[in-house]
Amino acid sequence: DGGITQSPKYLFRKEGQNVTLSCEQNLNHDAMYWYRQDPGQGLRLIYYSQIVNDFQKGDIAEGYSVSREKKESFPLTVTSAQKNPTAFYLCATRGGQGPNQPQHFGDGTRLSIL
Amino acid sequence: SQKIEQNSEALNIQEGKTATLTCNYTNYSPAYLQWYRQDPGRGPVFLLLIRENEKEKRKERLKVTFDTTLKQSLFHITASQPADSATYLCADMGHNTNAGKSTFGDGTTLTVKP
């Protein structure tokens, strides 16, 4: 089954704790993305990676970190420095570099503060 | 800064009518604009895209236009059905110096009433 798997579907974080959201893909896509979506709002780009071992900050990278050690995987860590982490987190991939290439999304992880 | 804006947060129409959603861009000229559908609690799904030098693109009941004079793309759903109810997002995947850096609008939530 080809696609993008995000886990867990729901995640709870205690104050001062770091948590890691998983994103795995078997589409063989080079580019991967992380977005944050708040209720009633659009997607805001956190980090993106166009190739293994390289990634760039998006528009709201503060309080987050990523790694891209394998093509298939792009985990996102929400650190304790992110003071308002409650949101819906979406991972996406893209098969090519051109602006005409669409993104493919996972079904998201909903993160809440305990 | 470069921005994509979708004017309406919500659009309510009667079944069978044509829904028209607007996406405006400011301070730059995207090479392509892409349109996505997002259902509650799910990741967005790509619908179609249009290039800046294309006036119009069609796919079944969907039609997209690109007006570089008005700096605007319109997304039309003809003969709308309740199943078309969802949030629709427009997006730019970036190009030139911003290649790969995606930008999404905040979305328009369409409700089609039977």
PDB file of all heavy atoms in Angstrom, chain A residues 30-32 48-56 66-75:
ATOM      1  N   ASP A  30      11.409  12.576  -2.965  1.00  0.00           N
ATOM      2  CA  ASP A  30      12.573  13.240  -2.370  1.00  0.00           C
ATOM      3  C   ASP A  30      12.183  14.291  -1.324  1.00  0.00           C
ATOM      4  O   ASP A  30      12.837  14.441  -0.311  1.00  0.00           O
ATOM      5  CB  ASP A  30      13.412  13.926  -3.462  1.00  0.00           C
ATOM      6  CG  ASP A  30      14.229  12.929  -4.261  1.00  0.00           C
ATOM      7  OD1 ASP A  30      14.829  12.037  -3.636  1.00  0.00           O
ATOM      8  OD2 ASP A  30      14.272  13.040  -5.492  1.00  0.00           O
ATOM      9  N   ALA A  31      11.137  15.063  -1.607  1.00  0.00           N
ATOM     10  CA  ALA A  31      10.807  16.201  -0.754  1.00  0.00           C
ATOM     11  C   ALA A  31       9.768  15.819   0.301  1.00  0.00           C
ATOM     12  O   ALA A  31       8.807  15.101   0.014  1.00  0.00           O
ATOM     13  CB  ALA A  31      10.276  17.357  -1.594  1.00  0.00           C
ATOM     14  N   MET A  32       9.972  16.323   1.518  1.00  0.00           N
ATOM     15  CA  MET A  32       9.019  16.108   2.602  1.00  0.00           C
ATOM     16  C   MET A  32       8.820  17.412   3.360  1.00  0.00           C
ATOM     17  O   MET A  32       9.722  18.263   3.409  1.00  0.00           O
ATOM     18  CB  MET A  32       9.508  14.998   3.542  1.00  0.00           C
ATOM     19  CG  MET A  32       9.613  13.648   2.854  1.00  0.00           C
ATOM     20  SD  MET A  32       9.986  12.278   3.961  1.00  0.00           S
ATOM     21  CE  MET A  32       8.399  12.039   4.783  1.00  0.00           C
ATOM     22  N   TYR A  48      10.922  21.999   5.835  1.00  0.00           N
ATOM     23  CA  TYR A  48      10.838  21.166   4.655  1.00  0.00           C
ATOM     24  C   TYR A  48      12.225  20.658   4.279  1.00  0.00           C
ATOM     25  O   TYR A  48      13.238  21.262   4.628  1.00  0.00           O
ATOM     26  CB  TYR A  48      10.164  21.879   3.485  1.00  0.00           C
ATOM     27  CG  TYR A  48      10.863  23.108   2.961  1.00  0.00           C
ATOM     28  CD1 TYR A  48      11.501  23.092   1.725  1.00  0.00           C
ATOM     29  CD2 TYR A  48      10.824  24.317   3.664  1.00  0.00           C
ATOM     30  CE1 TYR A  48      12.116  24.226   1.213  1.00  0.00           C
ATOM     31  CE2 TYR A  48      11.442  25.450   3.168  1.00  0.00           C
ATOM     32  CZ  TYR A  48      12.071  25.402   1.946  1.00  0.00           C
ATOM     33  OH  TYR A  48      12.684  26.528   1.450  1.00  0.00           O
ATOM     34  N   SER A  49      12.209  19.526   3.583  1.00  0.00           N
ATOM     35  CA  SER A  49      13.454  18.877   3.185  1.00  0.00           C
ATOM     36  C   SER A  49      13.318  18.450   1.729  1.00  0.00           C
ATOM     37  O   SER A  49      12.376  17.760   1.380  1.00  0.00           O
ATOM     38  CB  SER A  49      13.701  17.656   4.060  1.00  0.00           C
ATOM     39  OG  SER A  49      14.722  16.839   3.513  1.00  0.00           O
ATOM     40  N   GLN A  50      14.264  18.869   0.904  1.00  0.00           N
ATOM     41  CA  GLN A  50      14.172  18.517  -0.514  1.00  0.00           C
ATOM     42  C   GLN A  50      15.041  17.316  -0.853  1.00  0.00           C
ATOM     43  O   GLN A  50      14.939  16.756  -1.960  1.00  0.00           O
ATOM     44  CB  GLN A  50      14.563  19.727  -1.368  1.00  0.00           C
ATOM     45  CG  GLN A  50      13.598  20.898  -1.130  1.00  0.00           C
ATOM     46  CD  GLN A  50      13.713  21.979  -2.170  1.00  0.00           C
ATOM     47  OE1 GLN A  50      13.224  21.834  -3.280  1.00  0.00           O
ATOM     48  NE2 GLN A  50      14.345  23.088  -1.811  1.00  0.00           N
ATOM     49  N   ILE A  51      15.902  16.917   0.094  1.00  0.00           N
ATOM     50  CA  ILE A  51      16.768  15.773  -0.147  1.00  0.00           C
ATOM     51  C   ILE A  51      17.264  15.259   1.196  1.00  0.00           C
ATOM     52  O   ILE A  51      17.280  16.024   2.184  1.00  0.00           O
ATOM     53  CB  ILE A  51      17.944  16.181  -1.066  1.00  0.00           C
ATOM     54  CG1 ILE A  51      18.570  14.951  -1.713  1.00  0.00           C
ATOM     55  CG2 ILE A  51      18.938  17.041  -0.338  1.00  0.00           C
ATOM     56  CD1 ILE A  51      19.441  15.285  -2.900  1.00  0.00           C
ATOM     57  N   VAL A  52      17.674  14.005   1.228  1.00  0.00           N
ATOM     58  CA  VAL A  52      18.186  13.419   2.470  1.00  0.00           C
ATOM     59  C   VAL A  52      19.358  14.238   3.013  1.00  0.00           C
ATOM     60  O   VAL A  52      20.173  14.765   2.250  1.00  0.00           O
ATOM     61  CB  VAL A  52      18.621  11.960   2.209  1.00  0.00           C
ATOM     62  CG1 VAL A  52      19.268  11.353   3.451  1.00  0.00           C
ATOM     63  CG2 VAL A  52      17.430  11.118   1.810  1.00  0.00           C
ATOM     64  N   ASN A  53      19.417  14.349   4.340  1.00  0.00           N
ATOM     65  CA  ASN A  53      20.475  15.059   5.058  1.00  0.00           C
ATOM     66  C   ASN A  53      20.480  16.564   4.832  1.00  0.00           C
ATOM     67  O   ASN A  53      21.497  17.229   5.087  1.00  0.00           O
ATOM     68  CB  ASN A  53      21.863  14.484   4.721  1.00  0.00           C
ATOM     69  CG  ASN A  53      22.040  13.076   5.250  1.00  0.00           C
ATOM     70  OD1 ASN A  53      21.560  12.757   6.345  1.00  0.00           O
ATOM     71  ND2 ASN A  53      22.707  12.236   4.494  1.00  0.00           N
ATOM     72  N   ASP A  54      19.365  17.098   4.354  1.00  0.00           N
ATOM     73  CA  ASP A  54      19.253  18.545   4.176  1.00  0.00           C
ATOM     74  C   ASP A  54      17.827  18.976   4.471  1.00  0.00           C
ATOM     75  O   ASP A  54      16.873  18.285   4.076  1.00  0.00           O
ATOM     76  CB  ASP A  54      19.628  18.930   2.751  1.00  0.00           C
ATOM     77  CG  ASP A  54      19.716  20.437   2.594  1.00  0.00           C
ATOM     78  OD1 ASP A  54      20.218  21.109   3.521  1.00  0.00           O
ATOM     79  OD2 ASP A  54      19.285  20.960   1.549  1.00  0.00           O
ATOM     80  N   PHE A  55      17.658  20.097   5.180  1.00  0.00           N
ATOM     81  CA  PHE A  55      16.325  20.617   5.437  1.00  0.00           C
ATOM     82  C   PHE A  55      16.418  22.123   5.662  1.00  0.00           C
ATOM     83  O   PHE A  55      17.486  22.654   5.983  1.00  0.00           O
ATOM     84  CB  PHE A  55      15.652  19.922   6.632  1.00  0.00           C
ATOM     85  CG  PHE A  55      16.487  19.857   7.880  1.00  0.00           C
ATOM     86  CD1 PHE A  55      16.534  20.925   8.760  1.00  0.00           C
ATOM     87  CD2 PHE A  55      17.202  18.708   8.181  1.00  0.00           C
ATOM     88  CE1 PHE A  55      17.297  20.855   9.924  1.00  0.00           C
ATOM     89  CE2 PHE A  55      17.963  18.627   9.342  1.00  0.00           C
ATOM     90  CZ  PHE A  55      18.020  19.709  10.212  1.00  0.00           C
ATOM     91  N   GLN A  56      15.285  22.807   5.465  1.00  0.00           N
ATOM     92  CA  GLN A  56      15.227  24.254   5.606  1.00  0.00           C
ATOM     93  C   GLN A  56      14.089  24.640   6.532  1.00  0.00           C
ATOM     94  O   GLN A  56      13.076  23.943   6.620  1.00  0.00           O
ATOM     95  CB  GLN A  56      14.974  24.935   4.245  1.00  0.00           C
ATOM     96  CG  GLN A  56      16.138  24.884   3.278  1.00  0.00           C
ATOM     97  CD  GLN A  56      16.247  23.554   2.581  1.00  0.00           C
ATOM     98  OE1 GLN A  56      15.229  22.963   2.216  1.00  0.00           O
ATOM     99  NE2 GLN A  56      17.457  23.076   2.387  1.00  0.00           N
ATOM    100  N   VAL A  66      13.799  19.013  13.273  1.00  0.00           N
ATOM    101  CA  VAL A  66      13.585  17.874  12.389  1.00  0.00           C
ATOM    102  C   VAL A  66      14.917  17.205  12.083  1.00  0.00           C
ATOM    103  O   VAL A  66      15.984  17.750  12.353  1.00  0.00           O
ATOM    104  CB  VAL A  66      12.927  18.286  11.049  1.00  0.00           C
ATOM    105  CG1 VAL A  66      11.511  18.794  11.259  1.00  0.00           C
ATOM    106  CG2 VAL A  66      13.782  19.317  10.319  1.00  0.00           C
ATOM    107  N   SER A  67      14.830  16.019  11.496  1.00  0.00           N
ATOM    108  CA  SER A  67      15.997  15.342  10.943  1.00  0.00           C
ATOM    109  C   SER A  67      15.565  14.646   9.669  1.00  0.00           C
ATOM    110  O   SER A  67      14.381  14.328   9.495  1.00  0.00           O
ATOM    111  CB  SER A  67      16.576  14.337  11.933  1.00  0.00           C
ATOM    112  OG  SER A  67      15.628  13.325  12.224  1.00  0.00           O
ATOM    113  N   ARG A  68      16.521  14.398   8.786  1.00  0.00           N
ATOM    114  CA  ARG A  68      16.207  13.672   7.546  1.00  0.00           C
ATOM    115  C   ARG A  68      17.394  12.763   7.236  1.00  0.00           C
ATOM    116  O   ARG A  68      18.198  13.005   6.333  1.00  0.00           O
ATOM    117  CB  ARG A  68      15.963  14.656   6.388  1.00  0.00           C
ATOM    118  CG  ARG A  68      15.474  13.965   5.114  1.00  0.00           C
ATOM    119  CD  ARG A  68      14.032  13.734   5.076  1.00  0.00           C
ATOM    120  NE  ARG A  68      13.594  12.883   3.986  1.00  0.00           N
ATOM    121  CZ  ARG A  68      13.342  13.300   2.732  1.00  0.00           C
ATOM    122  NH1 ARG A  68      13.518  14.576   2.411  1.00  0.00           N
ATOM    123  NH2 ARG A  68      12.943  12.447   1.823  1.00  0.00           N
ATOM    124  N   GLU A  69      17.462  11.689   7.993  1.00  0.00           N
ATOM    125  CA  GLU A  69      18.568  10.739   7.850  1.00  0.00           C
ATOM    126  C   GLU A  69      18.270   9.674   6.803  1.00  0.00           C
ATOM    127  O   GLU A  69      19.173   9.053   6.262  1.00  0.00           O
ATOM    128  CB  GLU A  69      18.878  10.096   9.196  1.00  0.00           C
ATOM    129  CG  GLU A  69      19.372  11.097  10.233  1.00  0.00           C
ATOM    130  CD  GLU A  69      19.534  10.474  11.611  1.00  0.00           C
ATOM    131  OE1 GLU A  69      19.323   9.248  11.735  1.00  0.00           O
ATOM    132  OE2 GLU A  69      19.856  11.208  12.550  1.00  0.00           O
ATOM    133  N   LYS A  70      16.989   9.454   6.538  1.00  0.00           N
ATOM    134  CA  LYS A  70      16.572   8.473   5.527  1.00  0.00           C
ATOM    135  C   LYS A  70      15.554   9.115   4.606  1.00  0.00           C
ATOM    136  O   LYS A  70      14.781   9.982   5.028  1.00  0.00           O
ATOM    137  CB  LYS A  70      15.936   7.251   6.189  1.00  0.00           C
ATOM    138  CG  LYS A  70      16.841   6.473   7.111  1.00  0.00           C
ATOM    139  CD  LYS A  70      16.167   5.190   7.586  1.00  0.00           C
ATOM    140  CE  LYS A  70      14.889   5.464   8.330  1.00  0.00           C
ATOM    141  NZ  LYS A  70      14.245   4.205   8.818  1.00  0.00           N
ATOM    142  N   LYS A  71      15.507   8.653   3.386  1.00  0.00           N
ATOM    143  CA  LYS A  71      14.564   9.212   2.431  1.00  0.00           C
ATOM    144  C   LYS A  71      13.131   8.999   2.890  1.00  0.00           C
ATOM    145  O   LYS A  71      12.253   9.826   2.662  1.00  0.00           O
ATOM    146  CB  LYS A  71      14.778   8.543   1.066  1.00  0.00           C
ATOM    147  CG  LYS A  71      14.008   9.159  -0.075  1.00  0.00           C
ATOM    148  CD  LYS A  71      14.402   8.508  -1.388  1.00  0.00           C
ATOM    149  CE  LYS A  71      13.775   9.216  -2.563  1.00  0.00           C
ATOM    150  NZ  LYS A  71      14.206   8.653  -3.867  1.00  0.00           N
ATOM    151  N   GLU A  72      12.872   7.870   3.547  1.00  0.00           N
ATOM    152  CA  GLU A  72      11.513   7.488   3.897  1.00  0.00           C
ATOM    153  C   GLU A  72      10.964   8.215   5.117  1.00  0.00           C
ATOM    154  O   GLU A  72       9.772   8.156   5.388  1.00  0.00           O
ATOM    155  CB  GLU A  72      11.452   5.982   4.190  1.00  0.00           C
ATOM    156  CG  GLU A  72      11.898   5.088   3.042  1.00  0.00           C
ATOM    157  CD  GLU A  72      13.394   4.987   2.912  1.00  0.00           C
ATOM    158  OE1 GLU A  72      14.119   5.288   3.890  1.00  0.00           O
ATOM    159  OE2 GLU A  72      13.867   4.617   1.822  1.00  0.00           O
ATOM    160  N   SER A  73      11.824   8.863   5.889  1.00  0.00           N
ATOM    161  CA  SER A  73      11.410   9.314   7.213  1.00  0.00           C
ATOM    162  C   SER A  73      11.773  10.777   7.465  1.00  0.00           C
ATOM    163  O   SER A  73      12.876  11.218   7.129  1.00  0.00           O
ATOM    164  CB  SER A  73      12.091   8.411   8.250  1.00  0.00           C
ATOM    165  OG  SER A  73      11.771   8.809   9.542  1.00  0.00           O
ATOM    166  N   PHE A  74      10.841  11.511   8.090  1.00  0.00           N
ATOM    167  CA  PHE A  74      11.078  12.936   8.384  1.00  0.00           C
ATOM    168  C   PHE A  74      10.406  13.259   9.712  1.00  0.00           C
ATOM    169  O   PHE A  74       9.365  13.908   9.768  1.00  0.00           O
ATOM    170  CB  PHE A  74      10.504  13.782   7.243  1.00  0.00           C
ATOM    171  CG  PHE A  74      10.894  15.242   7.263  1.00  0.00           C
ATOM    172  CD1 PHE A  74      12.170  15.656   7.600  1.00  0.00           C
ATOM    173  CD2 PHE A  74       9.970  16.215   6.885  1.00  0.00           C
ATOM    174  CE1 PHE A  74      12.525  16.991   7.589  1.00  0.00           C
ATOM    175  CE2 PHE A  74      10.311  17.560   6.866  1.00  0.00           C
ATOM    176  CZ  PHE A  74      11.580  17.946   7.221  1.00  0.00           C
ATOM    177  N   PRO A  75      10.972  12.827  10.835  1.00  0.00           N
ATOM    178  CA  PRO A  75      10.324  13.059  12.134  1.00  0.00           C
ATOM    179  C   PRO A  75      10.408  14.519  12.576  1.00  0.00           C
ATOM    180  O   PRO A  75      11.403  15.203  12.320  1.00  0.00           O
ATOM    181  CB  PRO A  75      11.115  12.157  13.082  1.00  0.00           C
ATOM    182  CG  PRO A  75      12.439  11.965  12.425  1.00  0.00           C
ATOM    183  CD  PRO A  75      12.201  12.026  10.947  1.00  0.00           C
TER     184      PRO A  75
END
